[in-house]
Amino acid sequence: METIKGFIEHIIYRNTDNGYTVLNLIGGEEEITCVGFFKTMDQGETIRAEGEYTTHPVYGKQFKIEKYQIVPPDDAESIRRYLGSGAVKGVGDALAARIVKCFGEDTYRIIEEEPERLAEVKGISERKAREIAAAVYEKRDAREAMTFLQKYGISNTLAIRIYEKYGMGLYGIMKENPYQLAEDIQGIGFRIADEIAARIGIHTDSDFRIRSGILYTLMQAGAEGHCYLPKNILLQKAGELLGLEPALMEPQLQNLAMDKKLMIKMPAQGETEQKVYAATYYYTELNCAKMLHDLNISVEEEGLLPSEERKILAKIDRIEEELEITLDDLQKKSVLESAKNGIFILSGGPGTGKTTTINAIIRYFMSEELDIYLAAPTGRAAKRMTEATGYESRTIHRMLELNGVVSEETKTAKFERNEQNPLEADVIIVDEMSMVDIFLFQALLKAITVGTRLIMVGDVNQLPSVGAGQVLQDLLSSERFPVVVLEKIFRQAGESDIVWNAHRIHAGQELRLDNKSRDFFFLERNDINVIYKHMIQLITEKLPNYVGAGVYDIQVLTPMRKGKLGVEVLNGILQKYLNPPSDQKKEYQSGDVLFREHDKVMQIKNNYQLEWEVVSKYGIPVDKGTGIFNGDTGIILQINEYAHEVVVEYDEHRRVTYQYAQLDEIELAYAVTIHKSQGSEYPAVIMPLLSGPKMLFNRNLLYTGVTRAKYCVTILGSRQTVQEMVDNNYQNRRYTGLAERIRELMPE
């Protein structure tokens, strides 16, 4: 690394959100363009910076700053420039010149040690002198805090967040309990806090470290879908993380419980293991169970007269005539149950008539002149629901009016629609419930008033939600709500081998892989390079005309991230052929990923604060909002090399601008994991299945992948692997307690 020193003459560009800055630095006779991340740096300040020179393809030579220190100006001219730059409130260029003329190179010492002497300068009162000194002290405090934090290997970006959070209190935090950073500051997890603690000299068996490690282990379990961990598993995982024996950690479990940071549930009947929850997860489950209890009103409790039931059935008959459909007994029962109950759950596999049933339910409530809201967890799922029903469907986030604020405690979204401002609907129908996690479910329930009907639709055999919980599975397991599971495969759907093979997978039966199908193909290929070749041919030549779709509409789905048939390798190969480099396309290398204009990309984490807008063909914004979510896919429209920005357009023409520093939130999406494809439907799906870990290559995953296709599934790989996946009914267990909370509040 090289070191340079100079004063900041001009800040060319600064992103106020992440601190990315482009500035001109004057060092001796040389003017240097510098780039980096810093919020506390102002024009006129003198810095010493470490980094390296790079050559930008458009803007030429730049110095990329990795580390920096703000240092006091050490000559009269630098002091004048600093004071006159606007960095010190109340001092302009003319006043700065008078101060320096009076005190020369001793100016800075005078301000810090004898600030009252500033009143000797014409135009400065004693009060003004104190204000100038206070402004300089504040800058000095920030400078010294940044220098202190950098000693412990903390990056500029994190140091800024720490200083903004704690101010001068950061010294006590760092000395006594640096693990507090992991709880208070986004972007600092346990591992970073642990590294800082090690540099400071905190002992590995410190109580603070053990407590932080236990909480971190529970939070990591939440990221893997769990709401709690059995006590022995928690201590084992935390012990591996901390390098300590479980016996050393057990006392801290009790201390954390006393501090209400976690909840320890005693074993239920027939169980032996205590369950340990992070407090947030426990109370979220409990709140959901309480709200479900309140919503679960049945007219049968008041006594539904036979004549009233006959009226409902007569209306169902008229709906069949109007829609020119014939409902089977279970579909009719579904409409009847939705009319009779505050909560109703409709489930079933592909081709069993869920959409037809939803349409009949909608028609029934419309005949009752009730207000109906339709929603789904993702934009794609909401769009499919709109197309299938003919009625507007929104994402749950839009229906609840996401406001861009994030809860400090749970790191989840906050919504305008809640218990104080509920949804103004009589009936709410939510599709793809298997994708709804426990926190989104709680937000939904908070916005529903008692007396509003909640109808939940989903296929319980799909993979569970990406977020924590398995809401649909737990609702069914609780056995406390009216449920209809549709089973009959209807004639039109029965003509599809996608549907039949999906049901065979679910039943663990052998698949029909004879390629006599019109929509389900299997190509036995055991050579990785041959699989690559045929995948490209299918996407670019064979499938677009066959299914009437564009190249980007055809989706490669794979079980894995790593390996030769994982998304990371496949995306590089597919990008090369589907969006090759060109002089007309700008590129940016972010870590290991090369992004190029026109690339297909996916958001890989929920960002509730990311702003989007929809613009007209004349570039005028016509709609705007916040929130882009895990699994949303879009196209890179523009890479702005000067502003260090990437513009992505998502479904419904929502445009989002990412700073280069935010690109860890997106990845290429020519190939995506089957888990990430949940809630989506593609005209054609290609699945390369050759070999992989048994825990991953299971029936549940194959079923989900196959049911993502609307018109065509093509599997490339090993027949034996496919059959082994069908035979493998292993599912990673999720530790969730919503069903237990429901049963506690609603005894049978």
Side-chain angles (χ1 to χ4, degrees):
M1 276 204 224
E2 296 189 53
T3 301
I4 60 173
K5 182 183 174 186
F7 73 90
I8 301 166
E9 182 189 47
H10 176 54
I11 291 179
I12 301 168
Y13 170 81
R14 171 172 285 162
N15 181 291
T16 54
D17 292 330
N18 61 19
Y20 178 78
T21 306
V22 182
L23 57 85
N24 278 348
L25 191 75
I26 303 297
E29 300 296 318
E30 189 180 8
E31 182 177 318
I32 307 165
T33 300
C34 299
V35 297
F37 292 89
F38 11 77
K39 283 187 178 180
T40 58
M41 198 184 280
D42 291 313
Q43 286 181 185
E45 290 186 315
T46 300
I47 65 168
R48 182 183 294 110
E50 294 180 35
E52 57 186 25
Y53 284 99
T54 61
T55 302
H56 192 280
V58 176
Y59 305 110
K61 188 177 179 183
Q62 297 178 336
F63 189 80
K64 186 177 180 182
I65 296 176
E66 300 293 341
K67 291 170 62 179
Y68 74 95
Q69 284 180 291
I70 299 172
V71 296
D74 53 7
D75 61 75
E77 180 59 19
S78 296
I79 295 169
R80 185 196 67 75
R81 282 170 170 157
Y82 171 63
L83 293 176
S85 67
V88 178
K89 188 178 178 181
V91 180
D93 197 46
L95 184 54
R98 293 204 300 274
I99 293 171
V100 173
K101 185 177 180 181
C102 184
F103 299 115
E105 293 185 1
D106 206 26
T107 298
Y108 219 78
R109 187 195 64 78
I110 294 290
I111 293 173
E112 290 193 335
E113 297 177 12
E114 303 175 75
E116 68 280 358
R117 288 190 57 192
L118 289 173
E120 297 172 16
V121 179
K122 184 181 178 182
I124 299 181
S125 63
E126 287 187 12
R127 179 183 172 187
K128 180 82 168 176
R130 288 194 297 271
E131 289 175 354
I132 292 170
V136 171
Y137 290 154
E138 186 180 345
K139 293 285 182 183
R140 183 191 65 186
D141 289 344
R143 182 175 69 241
E144 290 176 352
M146 298 292 284
T147 302
F148 171 78
L149 293 169
Q150 286 171 357
K151 281 196 306 185
Y152 296 108
I154 298 171
S155 70
N156 296 331
T157 309
L158 289 182
I160 290 164
R161 289 188 202 160
I162 294 169
Y163 182 71
E164 288 177 345
K165 175 70 178 177
Y166 302 118
M168 298 309 288
L170 69 87
Y171 297 100
I173 294 284
M174 294 291 287
K175 181 180 178 183
E176 295 171 16
N177 180 18
Y179 295 98
Q180 188 69 34
L181 303 176
E183 292 187 41
D184 293 344
I185 300 174
Q186 195 167 4
I188 299 184
F190 170 81
R191 294 187 185 280
I192 293 176
D194 204 32
E195 287 177 15
I196 295 167
R199 293 191 185 107
I200 290 172
I202 302 288
H203 291 298
T204 56
D205 60 354
S206 138
D207 289 351
F208 288 129
R209 182 171 186 263
I210 293 172
R211 288 159 64 97
S212 184
I214 289 170
L215 291 174
Y216 174 78
T217 303
L218 284 173
M219 290 299 108
Q220 285 298 102
E224 294 167 5
H226 305 294
C227 290
Y228 72 87
L229 285 178
K231 183 174 141 184
N232 65 329
I233 293 177
L234 170 61
L235 292 176
Q236 176 196 334
K237 287 179 176 290
E240 291 168 0
L241 172 73
L242 299 169
L244 297 172
E245 291 298 318
L248 283 172
M249 296 181 289
E250 191 149 359
Q252 295 306 325
L253 280 181
Q254 305 304 324
N255 290 336
L256 284 165
M258 289 173 64
D259 289 345
K260 299 186 178 177
K261 294 285 182 72
L262 54 78
M263 286 288 300
I264 302 174
K265 286 289 289 179
M266 300 309 291
Q269 190 172 2
E271 297 177 341
T272 58
E273 189 67 46
Q274 292 180 357
K275 301 169 183 177
V276 185
Y277 283 85
T280 302
Y281 286 77
Y282 176 76
Y283 288 111
T284 299
E285 284 190 347
L286 193 60
N287 287 343
C288 288
K290 174 66 169 63
M291 290 184 284
L292 287 166
H293 170 273
D294 294 344
L295 290 171
N296 191 36
I297 300 169
S298 171
V299 294
E300 289 187 345
E301 293 171 9
E302 301 165 7
L304 183 66
L305 297 173
S307 59
E308 292 173 318
E309 185 162 323
R310 282 197 298 272
K311 284 180 183 178
I312 296 173
L313 293 172
K315 279 191 177 181
I316 294 171
D317 291 339
R318 287 198 295 274
I319 289 167
E320 287 182 292
E321 291 175 16
E322 290 170 11
L323 297 178
E324 297 181 349
I325 58 173
T326 302
L327 301 174
D328 71 8
D329 291 342
L330 285 176
Q331 290 176 309
K332 287 182 179 179
K333 183 182 178 185
S334 299
V335 182
L336 183 62
E337 292 292 337
S338 66
K340 289 162 52 179
N341 295 285
I343 291 176
F344 171 63
I345 301 168
L346 175 65
S347 189
T352 56
K354 290 197 299 293
T355 299
T356 301
T357 308
I358 293 170
N359 280 326
I361 290 170
I362 291 170
R363 282 300 183 101
Y364 173 79
F365 287 121
M366 285 182 65
S367 72
E368 296 285 298
E369 298 184 346
L370 299 179
D371 290 326
I372 308 166
Y373 284 180
L374 306 183
T378 67
R380 281 177 175 264
K383 185 179 178 183
R384 281 201 294 130
M385 197 179 189
T386 299
E387 292 167 351
T389 64
Y391 299 97
E392 182 195 7
S393 175
R394 295 170 287 174
T395 64
I396 297 172
H397 290 88
R398 289 201 82 174
M399 181 175 73
L400 298 180
E401 299 175 18
L402 176 72
N403 65 13
V405 177
V406 178
S407 163
E408 280 294 317
E409 188 178 2
T410 63
K411 310 301 181 197
T412 55
K414 290 190 176 181
F415 301 93
E416 294 295 333
R417 294 291 182 172
N418 49 42
E419 54 268 63
Q420 281 82 42
N421 182 28
L423 294 165
E424 296 166 2
D426 301 304
V427 181
I428 296 171
I429 304 175
V430 182
D431 198 7
E432 295 285 0
M433 272 299 299
S434 63
M435 296 182 65
V436 175
D437 65 46
I438 191 69
F439 292 110
L440 184 57
F441 191 50
Q442 175 181 236
L444 174 66
L445 293 176
K446 281 182 176 180
I448 301 176
T449 54
V450 174
T452 299
R453 289 178 173 85
L454 174 60
I455 297 165
M456 295 172 279
V457 184
D459 182 352
V460 76
N461 298 308
Q462 300 284 354
L463 292 169
S465 58
V466 174
Q470 47 183 2
V471 170
L472 182 60
Q473 177 69 61
D474 281 352
L475 291 175
L476 296 174
S477 299
S478 72
E479 299 181 339
R480 295 297 185 270
F481 307 104
V483 176
V484 171
V485 180
L486 301 177
E487 296 170 346
K488 177 183 174 182
I489 300 175
F490 285 85
R491 182 181 60 80
Q492 188 174 357
E495 295 172 0
S496 165
D497 282 314
I498 294 174
V499 171
W500 278 111
N501 276 331
H503 284 274
R504 288 190 184 97
I505 292 166
H506 173 55
Q509 298 170 354
E510 188 174 350
L511 299 190
R512 191 181 294 163
L513 301 177
D514 54 12
N515 287 336
K516 293 179 181 178
S517 169
R518 290 179 300 175
D519 61 6
F520 199 103
F521 302 100
F522 173 76
L523 304 178
E524 181 89 40
R525 302 290 185 269
N526 294 303
D527 185 298
I528 295 284
N529 291 318
V530 172
I531 290 175
Y532 295 156
K533 176 187 172 184
H534 288 173
M535 194 183 301
I536 300 297
Q537 286 179 337
L538 286 165
I539 295 171
T540 57
E541 301 171 21
K542 307 290 186 186
L543 289 175
N545 288 335
Y546 188 73
V547 298
V551 167
Y552 276 18
D553 296 322
I554 296 162
Q555 188 63 56
V556 176
L557 300 180
T558 176
M560 306 171 292
R561 290 197 57 81
K562 303 292 184 182
K564 293 181 179 179
L565 291 177
V567 291
E568 293 175 5
V569 172
L570 287 177
N571 272 318
I573 293 167
L574 292 168
Q575 181 193 47
K576 179 180 175 182
Y577 288 94
L578 303 184
N579 187 29
S582 157
D583 292 340
Q584 278 70 51
K585 300 175 194 170
K586 294 191 180 79
E587 299 177 348
Y588 178 70
Q589 184 82 35
S590 176
D592 296 331
V593 181
L594 176 69
F595 291 106
R596 182 176 295 138
E597 289 178 338
H598 307 157
D599 270 338
K600 182 179 177 182
V601 294
M602 174 182 279
Q603 175 81 10
I604 57 172
K605 62 190 285 190
N606 288 338
N607 187 328
Y608 306 107
Q609 295 168 306
L610 207 53
E611 296 179 353
W612 54 262
E613 66 178 13
V614 178
V615 298
S616 70
K617 63 181 180 179
Y618 303 108
I620 300 169
V622 295
D623 192 13
K624 63 181 180 179
T626 58
I628 297 294
F629 306 107
N630 195 346
D632 285 355
T633 56
I635 304 294
I636 293 179
L637 295 184
Q638 181 187 26
I639 295 176
N640 187 326
E641 296 174 320
Y642 181 75
H644 287 231
E645 294 175 344
V646 174
V647 179
V648 177
E649 184 170 278
Y650 288 98
D651 292 337
E652 301 171 322
H653 307 291
R654 295 169 300 152
R655 292 188 181 182
V656 173
T657 299
Y658 293 88
Q659 305 302 318
Y660 280 180
Q662 295 174 295
L663 291 181
D664 60 343
E665 294 192 13
I666 63 173
E667 65 183 17
L668 297 176
Y670 301 103
V672 302
T673 61
I674 293 171
H675 215 132
K676 291 283 188 186
S677 73
Q678 278 182 280
S680 297
E681 184 179 69
Y682 311 101
V685 161
I686 299 171
M687 285 195 288
L689 300 172
L690 200 53
S691 64
K694 186 175 180 180
M695 288 174 63
L696 199 57
F697 276 56
N698 59 37
R699 184 186 301 174
N700 198 211
L701 197 82
L702 182 61
Y703 176 88
T704 300
V706 166
T707 54
R708 296 309 89 209
K710 187 173 184 180
Y711 301 122
C712 182
V713 170
T714 305
I715 297 175
L716 290 162
S718 161
R719 186 182 301 268
Q720 180 181 341
T721 297
V722 173
Q723 190 55 50
E724 286 173 354
M725 290 181 76
V726 173
D727 295 338
N728 179 15
N729 200 25
Y730 173 84
Q731 290 184 45
N732 284 323
R733 179 179 175 184
R734 284 202 172 188
Y735 294 107
T736 64
L738 179 60
E740 188 180 336
R741 302 288 84 74
I742 291 168
R743 288 192 291 267
E744 287 171 353
L745 289 176
M746 301 167 64
E748 194 168 8

